[in-house]
Amino acid sequence: MEFKGKLKLCTQTGHPKSLVPIFYVLHTLARFVSPFDMLELVHWILFNLSNSPSALSVGFFIAGGAFETLSSYCQQPITTRLLYDAFWEIKDKDFVATQFENVYLQICGCATSLELDSAYFSLLKAINIAYRGKYMQQDSHILPLSIEMLKVISSTPIEIVSHCIYRTNMIKAKLVYVLAEISPLHMSMFGQLFSRILEEKLASNEELLMLLPVALSFLNSAAIKYGNQSSKHFQSITSIYSSILFDGFLNKRIYDCEDIFQVENYDNFSSFSMEELLGFVNDSLLGKALNILRHYFSSNKDSVKMKKRIQVFDAISPHFDRHDKLLDCDVNDISSYSVNELLNLINRVVFNITFSRMLIFPLGNNWDNSSHKNGSSKVDVARIRFINILVSSWHLIVKNFSSTFGNDGKRMGMENFSRLLKFLEDFILRNLFELLTGMPNGIERMDSCHFLEQLMTATLLYRYNDPNTVQILRNIIISLPEVEGFSALGIQLVISHSQFAPTIKSLSRSSSISQFGVVLKPMSSVLRSFVFPSNDRNATGGASLETLEIIKLLSSLFHLHRCGFEPGKDLGINCKDLMSLLLSSYNATLSESDVEIYNLMREIESFDGSEIMAEMDYLWGNAALKIREDLSSDKKINFEEFECRRSKFREVLPVDPKLCAMTVLYFPFDRTASGQDEFKNKLEVQRYDPSFILRFSIHSLLMGYIEPLEFAGLGLLAVAFVSISSPDDGIRKLGYEALGSFKDCLEKCQKKKTVKRLQLLLTYLQNGIEESWQRIPSVIAIFVAELSFILLDPSHNNYSTMTKLLLQSRRANMKSIPLFHNLFRSSTLNFKGERLWILRLLYAGLNLEDDSRIYIRNSVHESLLSFYSSPLSDKESQELILQLLKKSVKLHKMARYLIEHCGLLSWLSSILAFFSGWTCLGQKKAALARLTIAIEIINEVISSRSITEWLQNFALEQLSELSSHIYKLLVDFMELLEANVDLVKSILQILLSTLKISQKRKIYQPHLTLSVDSLNKLCEAAKVYSNGRYNTSELALKVVLMSTPQMGIFNLHGKKLWEFVSWAVSTALQSDSSQPFSINLSDEDRKEDSLLSKLLRWITASVIFERVPSISDTLDPTIALETSNLETLVSLFQSIERRHGGDCEEKLADIILYLQQLLGINCKVLPSVVAALHFLLPSNASKFPGSDSFLGHETHGLSLCSMIRCAPEANPGWRWSYYQPWKNLTAELSDLEKLEELHACQSLIVLFSTVLRRKSFNFHVLSIQNVENSGVFKWERSLLEVE
């Protein structure tokens, strides 16, 4: 009150100085005052002191601060907002929305009448609230306010557009941009006025550059509205802007208006990630200028001659003598830059690089000059100069700023400084890589060796520990033709680096076994080491990414040198020392680091032409390190003497029997002996690399270092057995060679019982093999591998059984599972142990499609399924059976068999029903592990396309029954599942896939449907499961939208309906806003509906279903026939009785209008939106303040409805589709008719928005009269009528 009195006094006396102290206090305490109280103050100022320009300026300033605070308030999490509500004593949100509307429309009136920049600046801050709301989550607490604010912003007087673009400035240009982004009507108005400005040349180049962002948005919206015809209608826009930019660069005037291109919105950054920075560049004025130029070049491919392109390139690119000009600054000054200065530098560099590529690489990265033969030499010179500039600029950055950036960037924080410069560095390097990969012959025209040497030297010197930089360097080297002398130089540079040896040594880890040497007591069983592995896609075997990239780089260089110029030429390095270093850091496993080291060692041996690994007895890790230390010490060891060498070998023998057992149980069937494959270790289980360990086995047997019984006890014989089941010929041959060497050694041993049994085992297997290098089933291979351990331990429970089998069976039956029925149905005292043993064998032995035949032939799975539910089944056996089923469904042939012939889905359904029937929480927790496996099995089954097609045609009922049990688990056992988010996601994925399959069925086939009540329970469960984890809610919303819209949405009365739709809107908004940024979207990506669009279609369809009778809900087919013949909305509205259901329908109308406003021009179902709003609004709208304007347009409204096709949902042939709207191909319109329909829909939405506004004011707002009087619709129609 004191401020009001002081302000009023100042305006009367004309002495504003007395206001300064209290105004300063108000400004200081503004963040503690409710923005709505501030807006109330502004309303008072604008209403009572409208004749005082100084008072109005104060009001606009206060309003701007209030809008900023309100924007910050809307972006806070709900817990913080509730604290603000309590602090500010906010109780009535309707009053808050009214206050916002009141002040906003008052400022609009002042802006258009007084032309004050402070008014426009205040409006900009207000509109930014709605603009940011399109890209942030809206929970049920803030959603009503967001709806009302967007409704107000969309009703902005259309005259604002003309006031903003004539005699524009940066504030007005930004205002019209965000307003046009929000409202398609204001965007169309801008297009009409802007076309007139360009035609009559009413704006300067500087003003046009300010309007470039909104001009680009208009072009994008025109492409959606007019399709391919937009480029023809608005080609003048891109031509004028390209001319301005070209002339500006040629005449050095483009940066005269430097303030226009400055960016200041760095406060919006949250992580300074690559995606965020790319989005920042694209949203800047320079980034939008690039997009305008892309439009121009795509529609005028041959209009810009190469000569002019080179001239513009010469103007923006520095000559070769000063490469730091690309950075447009002294590189030494960058460390003192502020955030804003560095961002602007990055923005300019990205623009210069991208624009240069557009100019001199018109075919993308292709160096083909066939379309520019006359100037091909000049083009090549420009391209090579550009590449040299990129290399030198990148070199300047990496040279002057280390990867850690020391103490640089004190003014902004070292971490953000590093991220920004790393982005610039990576951007330059990636552009360099993309250009070089497209120049198959261009490298010959460059000083290639010096160029690559510069890249290599700078990378090793300044970015040795940066894996991304090393990876790009390696890709560049691989993609280019071999340059004479470079690979040898590169190898020398890498090996001579001071950090190379320490880097390789860092891979060495201590042995997992307790001691070196031969194991005295062998393992008694490989199946006792049984574990269930999990995927670990990021496993690197303890190696850092930096180390892996260095190894890959060196391996690539050796490969290029071996295959390129002068193979075999001396490199000036000691290959044996290098191999010794690598072997001492090698662990012989399938970790990524070990696989890369092994590939490198094979490359070195291929280059050197020797067998260095054999000379070092294939010893690895600490064993190789000990040998290396002995060689370098003063000890004099004669390694040429066999006994001494054998003794030392046995002393340091590094074989771990446990790793051999893991290798047998989880043999890598996708590993090849050549090592040429891109092998990826998908399991976290540590295993030996069979390609290496088999060579080690063969060498140790041939040299006589290991005795045959020791060989078997270590597990090397078991590895050899299982390797002959590998699909790779090379691995199998190594396995057969190892077995042959073992047999030869065995024959030379003393005739002990154990030796004879092992010979009997070899004979048993050999007699079953019918072809050379035959691949045997893996279950047979693992069986004989297990026997190689059992035969060494007479105390083993199965020793007598296995001995008896070998004595009675002459040969292994490759089409049967040995002892399956005997052990699975055992009646001995050890029946449980024998059953578990055979179950483990079955699990370990099912690995490839060929193995499926044996299991099917022996009816293995039928026996397991029937046993699972029997009284004899125990928990351990049940878990093994489920794990075997999980492994089985990963094999296509076995999965089809289980689904089509074994009734797997019905069986799983009974398991889930049994689980749901338990009432004791303790029982459920105990069975949760088995439930998880069952869910994983179902997910694996429905991920197969061929299986889902079969289910779609023949067995959806089974999947539907299964889904009903899963749904019950999801909504009824939230306390049990709440902590297991991955399981919840899997359950939701099953529901989603089932509904997707159901949606693809023929209309006469049964479908899976979820009632509105079921969907609401799913929504409530999703809220519980989400708890900050967003993906759960997104999946749940997709399940809702995949289900067919149902009648009865209004059965969710009042609060339930609001909570349901607000949760859906909030989730859809967050999903769409979290999509990664991409500059170039493919056509398929653009066609994909956003979740917001799907949600709008789903809600409108539900409303129309509720109002329009169809065949499904009436016994009289003539009613449905009548709806199928309806052509326009008029006929639909006249045939359906209108009724009003209360506040819940009004809220639903608000939501539909809100979603339509968020989508803007991307809304694809405007006729359905209009129909749904009509049905939801009351038949007697007089209860709404300000509704007279709506009722007064009843005749005009009917005329507009006659131009709109009937909502497709009223057609009996309509079907819901999650992916895209249903189209009635029999009611296609011409382009002009489509445009008239769009105009009619937009006009009716303006009318509906007027009805839904909470209060009427005397201020001039957007109305249908304004739109029609502006002539914007007539102008748009004229564009099509000209054709």
Side-chain angles (χ1 to χ4, degrees), residues 794-1017:
S795 64
H796 194 283
N797 292 332
N798 291 335
Y799 178 82
S800 59
T801 303
M802 301 307 164
T803 303
K804 184 178 179 181
L805 172 69
L806 294 178
L807 292 173
Q808 293 180 351
S809 301
R810 184 178 63 86
R811 58 190 292 273
N813 184 352
M814 299 297 175
K815 298 181 180 180
S816 176
I817 300 175
L819 302 174
F820 166 62
H821 294 289
N822 294 344
L823 297 180
F824 187 69
R825 297 189 175 92
S826 173
S827 58
T828 65
L829 293 176
N830 189 36
F831 69 92
K832 182 178 179 180
E834 291 178 346
R835 183 171 64 241
L836 293 176
W837 185 90
I838 195 65
L839 284 174
R840 294 190 184 106
L841 175 65
L842 291 172
Y843 177 88
L846 184 61
N847 299 289
L848 302 170
E849 292 290 348
D850 290 343
D851 298 329
S852 303
R853 296 193 186 97
I854 300 178
Y855 284 68
I856 294 173
R857 182 190 297 270
N858 289 268
S859 302
V860 170
H861 288 83
E862 289 88 338
S863 301
L864 300 182
L865 294 178
S866 61
F867 173 78
Y868 184 94
S869 302
S870 70
L872 296 175
S873 179
D874 57 277
K875 294 181 180 178
E876 194 173 355
S877 297
Q878 288 179 340
E879 185 173 355
L880 277 168
I881 291 172
L882 286 172
Q883 290 285 4
L884 176 59
L885 290 172
K886 177 183 172 182
K887 194 174 182 181
S888 299
V889 295
K890 294 179 184 296
L891 302 175
H892 178 71
K893 185 182 298 183
M894 180 60 76
R896 288 294 298 261
Y897 178 78
L898 287 170
I899 295 297
E900 296 180 18
H901 301 284
C902 298
L904 177 63
L905 291 182
S906 298
W907 182 83
L908 287 169
S909 183
S910 65
I911 298 299
L912 294 175
F914 185 69
F915 181 87
S916 301
W918 283 342
T919 56
C920 176
L921 184 62
Q923 286 180 314
K924 289 183 169 64
K925 288 182 177 179
L928 188 59
R930 280 169 279 159
L931 171 65
T932 302
I933 300 171
I935 297 298
E936 290 173 350
I937 292 171
I938 301 168
N939 258 317
E940 189 67 40
V941 167
I942 59 180
S943 65
S944 169
R945 181 176 178 179
S946 62
I947 291 178
T948 55
E949 288 177 352
W950 185 85
L951 290 171
Q952 175 184 330
N953 293 326
F954 305 107
L956 180 65
E957 292 76 12
Q958 295 180 29
L959 190 56
S960 298
E961 181 186 4
L962 186 64
S963 298
S964 65
H965 293 300
I966 290 175
Y967 171 83
K968 185 178 180 181
L969 287 173
L970 189 68
V971 299
D972 291 347
F973 300 104
M974 288 184 277
E975 181 182 355
L976 180 66
L977 301 179
E978 184 178 0
N980 198 333
V981 179
D982 290 335
L983 180 58
V984 172
K985 288 182 182 179
S986 297
I987 291 174
L988 288 170
Q989 191 60 54
I990 293 171
L991 293 173
L992 183 64
S993 299
T994 305
L995 289 165
K996 181 180 178 180
I997 295 170
S998 174
Q999 198 174 105
K1000 293 180 179 179
R1001 297 196 102 187
K1002 302 294 184 183
I1003 194 169
Y1004 55 80
Q1005 292 179 303
H1007 293 74
L1008 173 64
T1009 57
L1010 295 177
S1011 66
V1012 173
D1013 184 59
S1014 298
L1015 295 176
N1016 184 54
K1017 289 181 179 178

Side-chain angles (χ1 to χ4, degrees), residues 29 39 66 79 223 288 349 514 528 594 746 752 779 790 918 941 955 962 1006 1008 1016 1145 1212 1223:
L29 299 177
L39 289 178
T79 52
K288 293 185 182 300
V349 173
S514 59
R528 288 180 181 175
D594 281 347
L746 203 61
K752 297 180 181 180
V779 67
I790 293 176
W918 283 342
V941 167
L962 186 64
L1008 173 64
N1016 184 54
E1145 296 195 4
K1223 290 184 179 181

Side-chain angles (χ1 to χ4, degrees), residues 550-692:
I550 291 295
I551 296 172
K552 291 178 180 179
L553 173 62
L554 188 57
S555 182
S556 299
L557 289 169
F558 266 105
H559 179 76
L560 288 174
H561 188 71
R562 177 171 60 85
C563 301
F565 294 98
E566 301 179 312
K569 182 180 179 180
D570 183 29
L571 289 175
I573 63 172
N574 190 323
C575 289
K576 194 166 185 177
D577 283 349
L578 177 58
M579 286 289 287
S580 177
L581 173 65
L582 293 172
L583 280 169
S584 65
S585 302
Y586 182 55
N587 296 287
T589 69
L590 287 170
S591 67
E592 189 175 357
S593 59
D594 281 347
V595 169
E596 293 300 333
I597 288 178
Y598 183 64
N599 291 340
L600 174 56
M601 293 190 296
R602 293 295 301 275
E603 287 291 348
I604 294 173
E605 282 194 335
S606 299
F607 157 74
D608 192 60
S610 60
E611 296 184 359
I612 303 176
M613 282 189 281
E615 294 174 10
M616 297 182 176
D617 291 326
Y618 286 95
L619 293 173
W620 71 86
N622 290 337
L625 185 60
K626 280 182 172 292
I627 296 295
R628 191 179 183 198
E629 290 172 352
D630 289 340
L631 285 173
S632 61
S633 68
D634 295 331
K635 298 178 182 179
K636 301 297 181 181
I637 302 177
N638 186 0
F639 283 94
E640 299 301 325
E641 295 182 6
F642 172 76
E643 287 301 327
C644 182
R645 186 170 178 175
R646 182 176 184 273
S647 174
K648 192 63 181 177
F649 180 94
R650 294 173 61 82
E651 179 185 334
V652 299
L653 182 67
V655 177
D656 184 352
K658 294 180 181 178
L659 285 188
C660 288
M662 291 296 103
T663 308
V664 171
L665 289 173
Y666 306 102
F667 191 82
F669 290 94
D670 50 348
R671 181 63 167 149
T672 63
S674 64
Q676 300 297 324
D677 58 322
E678 289 291 332
F679 177 79
K680 296 294 182 183
N681 188 18
K682 299 177 182 178
L683 299 178
E684 66 177 7
V685 174
Q686 196 175 16
R687 303 164 288 171
Y688 280 129
D689 184 352
S691 180
F692 176 82

Side-chain angles (χ1 to χ4, degrees), residues 703-760:
M703 297 297 292
Y705 293 158
I706 305 178
E707 297 297 330
L709 294 182
E710 296 169 344
F711 186 85
L714 288 168
L716 295 174
L717 177 60
V719 174
F721 276 133
V722 78
S723 65
I724 63 175
S725 65
S726 171
D728 181 63
D729 291 343
I731 294 290
R732 285 204 311 278
K733 289 179 180 179
L734 288 173
Y736 275 111
E737 186 177 351
L739 292 175
S741 300
F742 177 78
K743 184 179 181 182
D744 294 339
C745 293
L746 203 61
E747 291 174 352
K748 299 175 184 178
C749 289
Q750 297 178 359
K751 302 299 182 181
K752 297 180 181 180
K753 287 184 178 180
T754 306
V755 172
K756 289 182 178 179
R757 292 189 183 97
L758 288 176
Q759 287 177 332
L760 191 60

